[in-house]
């Protein structure tokens, strides 16, 4: 009441509108006008240029035969497929690098971040050197470096064999593989179902613990639900679990899983580079947990693993998750450097399309659409996770 | 002799008794504090020793440091067992300055020194005054004169002959010099109460940050000619520079927005109470505080951005990384790319490490 009385009466200098509103309108009209004028200018030039070069706009070209070779892809492809399918194959390749890269970079980065805090002087120094070196050299240079090293590896005949069945040569990394067919998918499906049931069971166990305070270990249930159903399905259907060992035939390898040098170099570069940034995020996250929390947990006589899992990590994660999200986005965007060593991700394929068809605007629009979709999905997932672990103040 | 008597009631400082050899004591505390720690230390030491040993063998003991001009036979002889550092004296002028006319290369060299001096002066807190802006304008103009020539008796060197380190520094510095004001405007726009301006700023930032820089560079190199009226042609370097400025603007805007959010409300209210206009309020009161808040993250953005300029390799601009990659196309020296990459990595590392040390120092200073 009193605050309302003290507020000055609204100024009415220019009729019904205050000066502020009029100024605001003026600036908005000016900025939007300039933006529209620039866009209009560029647009009309583009339309003129495109018609001069006889390029029709629109996405009709996606149905045409691509004719470009794609050497290494997750999805089956041959040059007679359409541009649309080539794009999809490119998206598959981008996701193949990004998803595996994110998982590996998180694991490696967390290990190095923890190492930096180790009481062992040598370990923490080495981790610090790793972080500083990798962060201060451009990723593209590191990528070229790894690629050169890949090419300098011995030829297939003289391949290195660190472990039986694993070959490292200038053809890339070759690993033993388990061929995945429709039968194996049923087994995977059973495992996923088991995990889903476990999630529900765990929720009940936690709710029960909240009621009577008795801890109920969840891991036996987890083990049972994730191992038993797939094993049962596997036995009932008689799924063959043969391991396919790669073999050298002539100048190349047959069988097994091949990580082409381009893919392998890109993966190493992205994982090591990003892990240096993740290490710093993990370190600062752990350091942000107040000393008193460690002391309190120690005073309660908690086991170290329990303390880390239940006291330190939940608090550190609140600091870690938001910057981690942007690292994941960076890794995904950086996978586009693939074009420099000839791994065909979505950007590289879009660029080839652009050169072949001249459909510049459409190709760039597709790249933007793909990356905006990926970014939004990652942000969405991480925001959901962040909200779950966020501090609940009562 | 006076004896200082230990007062029995005084609380003793919790200090370990200092016995034994200090080196041994340090080793015990830092490397062998427990059995697992000791095992870890020994394993790490063994790995480190092996790594250092093989690097010294390859990089120093078996390395070739100098060869007669244009003769890589000595290097070929040690291929696989020793490094060929001889490629550096052979190619360093090409790597550093690209195809800039050989006799005129003192000009890009001087430009690089001017850039370094400019960065050094800008890092001194005591010099953060209005005059610094004029210094920037002056030095950047001087560098343009040096690189282009055509006046003061300097011969004209067209842009397509520039290359190497000066190009990297030009892309980064001009990107910064123009991206920074752009970033400030966009950051203010994003916090503006005017819906049209706010949504335009959000759109700009999210679009640029949502896509990889590579695709922006492709856009600059392929689509730019389409955007312009026919007959209007701008240089490839300038096109890449524009893409980099737009890219930097979006990222810097987000950092500066963080700073703007950290300025307490009272400062805005006080400025309003003084009756300052929007621009004077921001220029005199808000922005100086906001930028001061975010100097360490700003320096980190500069580092990221300095490294990212190397991506112009993909559209064929002769920056430092591209000259390095081109230097090893020469068939005689083709096999020695690792050495060249290490040399160039060292140059990048020196610049970025200096910046990151500086940022760390600033963080320490602001915490005190």
């Amino acid at each position: 009441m009193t605050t309302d009385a003290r507020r000055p009466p609204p100024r009415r200098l220019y009729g019904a509108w205050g000066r502020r509103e009029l100024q605001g309108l003026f600036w908005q009209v000016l900025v939007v006008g300039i933006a529209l004028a620039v866009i209009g200018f560029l647009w009309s030039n583009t339309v003129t240029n495109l018609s001069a070069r006889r390029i029709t706009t629109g996405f009709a070209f996606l149905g045409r035969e691509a004719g470009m070779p794609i050497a290494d892809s997750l999805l089956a492809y041959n040059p007679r497929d359409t541009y649309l399918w080539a794009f999809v194959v490119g998206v598959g390749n981008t996701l193949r690098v990004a998803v595996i890269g994110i998982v590996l970079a998180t694991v490696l980065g967390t290990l190095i971040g923890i190492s930096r805090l180790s009481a062992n002087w040598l370990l923490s120094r080495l981790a610090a050197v790793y972080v500083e070196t990798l962060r201060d050299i451009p990723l593209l240079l590191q990528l070229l470096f790894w690629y050169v090293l890949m090419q300098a590896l011995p030829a297939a005949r003289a391949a290195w064999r660190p472990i039986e069945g694993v070959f490292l040569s200038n053809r890339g990394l070759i690993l033993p593989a388990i061929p995945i067919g429709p039968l194996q998918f049923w087994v995977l499906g059973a495992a996923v179902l088991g995990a889903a049931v476990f999630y529900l069971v765990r929720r009940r166990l936690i709710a029960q613990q909240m009621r009577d305070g008795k801890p109920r270990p969840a891991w036996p249930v987890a083990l049972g639900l994730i191992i038993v159903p797939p094993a049962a399905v596997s036995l009932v259907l008689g799924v063959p679990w043969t391991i396919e060992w790669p073999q050298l035939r002539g100048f190349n390898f047959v069988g097994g899983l091949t990580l082409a040098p381009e893919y392998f170099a890109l993966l190493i570069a992205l994982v090591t580079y990003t892990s240096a940034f993740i290490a710093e995020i993990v370190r600062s996250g752990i350091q942000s947990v107040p000393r008193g929390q460690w002391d309190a947990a120690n005073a309660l006589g908690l086991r170290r693993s329990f303390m880390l899992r239940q006291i330190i990590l939940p608090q550190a994660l609140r600091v870690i998750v938001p910057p981690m999200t942007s690292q994941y986005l960076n890794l995904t965007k950086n996978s586009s450097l693939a074009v420099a060593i000839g791994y065909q991700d979505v950007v590289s394929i879009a660029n080839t399309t652009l050169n072949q068809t001249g459909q510049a605007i459409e190709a760039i629009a597709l790249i933007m659409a793909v990356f905006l979709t990926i970014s939004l999905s990652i942000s969405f997932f991480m925001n959901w996770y962040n909200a779950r672990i966020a501090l609940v103040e009562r | 002799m006076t004896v200082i008597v230990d007062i029995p009631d005084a609380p003793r400082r919790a200090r370990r008794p200092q016995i034994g050899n200090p080196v041994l004591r340090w080793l015990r505390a830092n490397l062998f504090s427990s059995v697992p720690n000791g095992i870890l230390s020994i394993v790490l030491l063994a790995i480190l020793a092996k790594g250092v040993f093989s690097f010294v063998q390859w990089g120093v003991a078996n390395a070739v440091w100098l060869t007669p001009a244009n003769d890589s036979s000595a290097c070929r002889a040690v291929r696989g067992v020793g490094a060929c550092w001889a490629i550096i004296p052979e190619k360093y002028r090409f790597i550093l300055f690209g195809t800039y006319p050989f006799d005129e290369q003192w000009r890009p060299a001087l430009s690089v020194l001017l850039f370094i001096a400019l960065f050094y002066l800008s890092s001194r807190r005591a010099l953060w005054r209005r005059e610094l802006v004029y210094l920037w304008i002056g030095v950047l103009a001087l560098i343009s004169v040096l690189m282009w020539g055509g006046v003061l008796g300097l011969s004209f060197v067209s842009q397509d002959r520039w290359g190497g380190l000066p190009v990297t520094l030009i892309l980064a510095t001009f990107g910064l010099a123009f991206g920074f004001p752009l970033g400030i405007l966009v950051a203010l726009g994003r916090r503006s109460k005017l819906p049209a301006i706010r949504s335009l700023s959000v759109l700009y930032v999210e679009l640029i940050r949502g896509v990889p820089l590579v695709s922006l560079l492709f856009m600059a190199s392929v689509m730019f000619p389409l955007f312009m009226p026919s007959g209007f042609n701008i240089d490839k370097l300038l096109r890449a520079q524009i893409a980099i400025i737009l890219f930097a603007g979006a990222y810097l805007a987000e950092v500066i927005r963080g700073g703007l959010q950290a300025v307490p409300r009272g400062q805005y209210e006080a400025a309003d109470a003084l009756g300052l206009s929007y621009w004077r309020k921001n220029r005199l009161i808000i922005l100086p505080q906001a930028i001061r808040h975010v100097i360490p993250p700003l320096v980190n953005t500069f580092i990221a951005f300095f490294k990212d300029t190397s991506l112009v390799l993909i559209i064929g601009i002769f920056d430092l990384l591209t000259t390095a990659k081109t230097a090893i196309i020469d068939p005689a020296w083709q096999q020695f790319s690792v050495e060249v990459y290490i040399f160039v990595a060292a140059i990048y590392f020196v610049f970025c490490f200096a910046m990151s040390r500086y940022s760390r120092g600033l963080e320490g200073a602001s915490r005190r």
Side-chain angles (χ1 to χ4, degrees), chain A residues 171-200:
Chain A
R171 302 276 173 152
L173 180 70
I174 292 114
L175 302 165
I178 297 168
I180 300 280
L183 281 177
Q184 278 85 356
F185 269 112
W186 284 106
V187 179
L188 281 180
V192 171
L193 195 69
V197 174
F198 168 67
Y199 180 73
L200 295 177

Coordinates of all heavy atoms in Angstrom, one line a residue, chain A residues 171-200:
Chain A
R171 N 45.3 -49.7 -42.2 CA 43.9 -49.9 -42.6 C 43.0 -49.6 -41.4 O 41.8 -49.7 -41.5 CB 43.7 -51.4 -42.9 CG 44.6 -51.8 -44.0 CD 44.0 -51.5 -45.3 NE 44.9 -51.8 -46.4 CZ 44.5 -52.1 -47.6 NH1 43.2 -52.1 -47.9 NH2 45.4 -52.4 -48.5
G172 N 43.6 -49.2 -40.3 CA 42.7 -48.8 -39.1 C 42.8 -49.9 -38.0 O 43.8 -50.7 -38.0
L173 N 41.9 -49.8 -37.1 CA 41.9 -50.7 -36.0 C 40.9 -51.8 -36.3 O 39.7 -51.5 -36.7 CB 41.5 -50.0 -34.7 CG 41.4 -50.8 -33.4 CD1 42.8 -51.3 -33.0 CD2 40.7 -50.1 -32.3
I174 N 41.3 -53.1 -36.2 CA 40.4 -54.2 -36.5 C 40.2 -55.0 -35.3 O 41.1 -55.4 -34.7 CB 40.9 -55.0 -37.7 CG1 40.8 -54.2 -39.0 CG2 40.0 -56.2 -37.9 CD1 42.1 -53.9 -39.6
L175 N 38.9 -55.2 -34.9 CA 38.6 -55.9 -33.7 C 37.7 -57.1 -34.0 O 37.0 -57.1 -35.0 CB 37.8 -54.9 -32.8 CG 38.4 -53.6 -32.3 CD1 37.3 -52.7 -31.8 CD2 39.5 -53.9 -31.3
P176 N 37.8 -58.1 -33.1 CA 36.9 -59.2 -33.3 C 35.4 -58.7 -33.0 O 35.2 -57.8 -32.2 CB 37.2 -60.2 -32.1 CG 38.4 -59.6 -31.5 CD 38.6 -58.2 -31.9
A177 N 34.5 -59.3 -33.7 CA 33.1 -58.8 -33.6 C 32.1 -59.9 -33.4 O 32.4 -61.1 -33.7 CB 32.7 -58.0 -34.8
I178 N 31.0 -59.6 -32.8 CA 29.9 -60.6 -32.8 C 28.9 -60.1 -33.8 O 28.3 -59.0 -33.7 CB 29.3 -60.6 -31.4 CG1 30.3 -61.1 -30.4 CG2 28.1 -61.5 -31.3 CD1 29.9 -60.9 -28.9
P179 N 28.6 -60.9 -34.8 CA 27.7 -60.5 -35.8 C 26.3 -60.3 -35.2 O 25.8 -61.2 -34.5 CB 27.7 -61.6 -36.9 CG 28.8 -62.5 -36.5 CD 29.1 -62.3 -35.1
I180 N 25.7 -59.2 -35.5 CA 24.3 -58.9 -34.9 C 23.3 -59.1 -35.9 O 23.3 -58.5 -37.0 CB 24.3 -57.4 -34.4 CG1 25.3 -57.2 -33.3 CG2 22.9 -57.1 -33.8 CD1 25.0 -57.6 -32.0
G181 N 22.4 -60.1 -35.7 CA 21.3 -60.3 -36.6 C 20.0 -60.1 -35.9 O 20.0 -59.6 -34.7
P182 N 18.8 -60.5 -36.5 CA 17.5 -60.3 -35.8 C 17.4 -61.1 -34.5 O 16.8 -60.6 -33.6 CB 16.5 -60.8 -36.9 CG 17.3 -61.2 -38.0 CD 18.7 -61.0 -37.8
L183 N 18.0 -62.2 -34.5 CA 18.0 -63.0 -33.3 C 18.6 -62.3 -32.1 O 18.0 -62.3 -31.0 CB 18.7 -64.4 -33.5 CG 17.9 -65.4 -34.2 CD1 18.7 -66.7 -34.4 CD2 16.6 -65.8 -33.5
Q184 N 19.7 -61.7 -32.3 CA 20.4 -61.0 -31.3 C 19.6 -59.8 -30.8 O 19.7 -59.4 -29.6 CB 21.8 -60.5 -31.7 CG 22.9 -61.6 -31.6 CD 22.9 -62.5 -32.9 OE1 22.1 -62.3 -33.8 NE2 23.9 -63.4 -32.9
F185 N 18.8 -59.2 -31.7 CA 18.0 -58.1 -31.3 C 17.0 -58.4 -30.2 O 16.7 -57.6 -29.4 CB 17.3 -57.4 -32.5 CG 18.2 -56.4 -33.1 CD1 18.8 -56.5 -34.4 CD2 18.4 -55.2 -32.4 CE1 19.6 -55.5 -34.9 CE2 19.2 -54.2 -33.0 CZ 19.8 -54.4 -34.3
W186 N 16.5 -59.7 -30.3 CA 15.5 -60.1 -29.3 C 16.2 -60.1 -28.0 O 15.6 -59.8 -27.0 CB 15.0 -61.5 -29.7 CG 13.9 -61.4 -30.7 CD1 14.1 -61.8 -32.0 CD2 12.6 -61.0 -30.6 NE1 13.0 -61.6 -32.8 CE2 12.0 -61.1 -31.9 CE3 11.9 -60.4 -29.6 CZ2 10.7 -60.7 -32.2 CZ3 10.6 -60.0 -29.8 CH2 10.0 -60.1 -31.1
V187 N 17.4 -60.6 -27.9 CA 18.2 -60.7 -26.7 C 18.4 -59.3 -26.1 O 18.2 -59.0 -24.9 CB 19.5 -61.4 -26.9 CG1 20.3 -61.5 -25.6 CG2 19.3 -62.8 -27.5
L188 N 18.8 -58.4 -27.0 CA 19.0 -57.0 -26.6 C 17.7 -56.4 -26.0 O 17.7 -55.7 -25.0 CB 19.5 -56.1 -27.8 CG 20.9 -56.2 -28.1 CD1 21.3 -55.3 -29.3 CD2 21.8 -55.8 -26.9
G189 N 16.6 -56.7 -26.7 CA 15.3 -56.2 -26.3 C 15.0 -56.7 -24.9 O 14.5 -56.0 -24.1
A190 N 15.3 -58.0 -24.6 CA 15.0 -58.6 -23.3 C 15.8 -57.8 -22.3 O 15.3 -57.5 -21.2 CB 15.4 -60.0 -23.3
A191 N 17.1 -57.5 -22.6 CA 17.9 -56.7 -21.6 C 17.3 -55.4 -21.3 O 17.3 -54.9 -20.2 CB 19.3 -56.6 -22.2
V192 N 16.9 -54.7 -22.4 CA 16.3 -53.4 -22.2 C 15.0 -53.5 -21.3 O 14.8 -52.7 -20.4 CB 15.9 -52.7 -23.6 CG1 15.1 -51.5 -23.4 CG2 17.2 -52.4 -24.4
L193 N 14.2 -54.5 -21.6 CA 13.0 -54.7 -20.8 C 13.4 -54.9 -19.3 O 12.8 -54.3 -18.4 CB 12.2 -55.9 -21.4 CG 10.8 -56.0 -20.9 CD1 10.0 -54.9 -21.5 CD2 10.2 -57.4 -21.3
G194 N 14.4 -55.8 -19.1 CA 14.9 -56.0 -17.8 C 15.3 -54.8 -17.1 O 14.9 -54.5 -15.9
A195 N 16.0 -53.9 -17.8 CA 16.5 -52.6 -17.2 C 15.3 -51.8 -16.8 O 15.3 -51.1 -15.8 CB 17.4 -51.9 -18.2
A196 N 14.3 -51.7 -17.7 CA 13.1 -50.9 -17.4 C 12.4 -51.4 -16.2 O 12.0 -50.6 -15.3 CB 12.2 -51.0 -18.6
V197 N 12.3 -52.7 -16.0 CA 11.6 -53.3 -14.8 C 12.4 -52.9 -13.6 O 11.9 -52.5 -12.6 CB 11.4 -54.8 -15.0 CG1 10.9 -55.4 -13.7 CG2 10.5 -55.2 -16.1
F198 N 13.8 -53.0 -13.8 CA 14.6 -52.7 -12.6 C 14.4 -51.3 -12.2 O 14.4 -51.0 -11.0 CB 16.1 -52.9 -13.0 CG 17.1 -52.3 -12.0 CD1 17.2 -52.8 -10.7 CD2 17.8 -51.2 -12.3 CE1 18.0 -52.3 -9.8 CE2 18.7 -50.6 -11.4 CZ 18.8 -51.2 -10.1
Y199 N 14.2 -50.4 -13.1 CA 14.0 -49.0 -12.8 C 12.8 -48.8 -11.9 O 12.8 -48.1 -10.9 CB 13.9 -48.2 -14.1 CG 13.6 -46.7 -13.9 CD1 14.7 -45.9 -13.5 CD2 12.4 -46.1 -14.1 CE1 14.5 -44.5 -13.2 CE2 12.1 -44.8 -13.8 CZ 13.2 -44.0 -13.4 OH 13.0 -42.7 -13.2
L200 N 11.7 -49.5 -12.2 CA 10.5 -49.4 -11.4 C 10.7 -50.1 -10.1 O 10.3 -49.5 -9.1 CB 9.4 -50.2 -12.2 CG 9.0 -49.5 -13.5 CD1 7.9 -50.3 -14.2 CD2 8.5 -48.1 -13.2

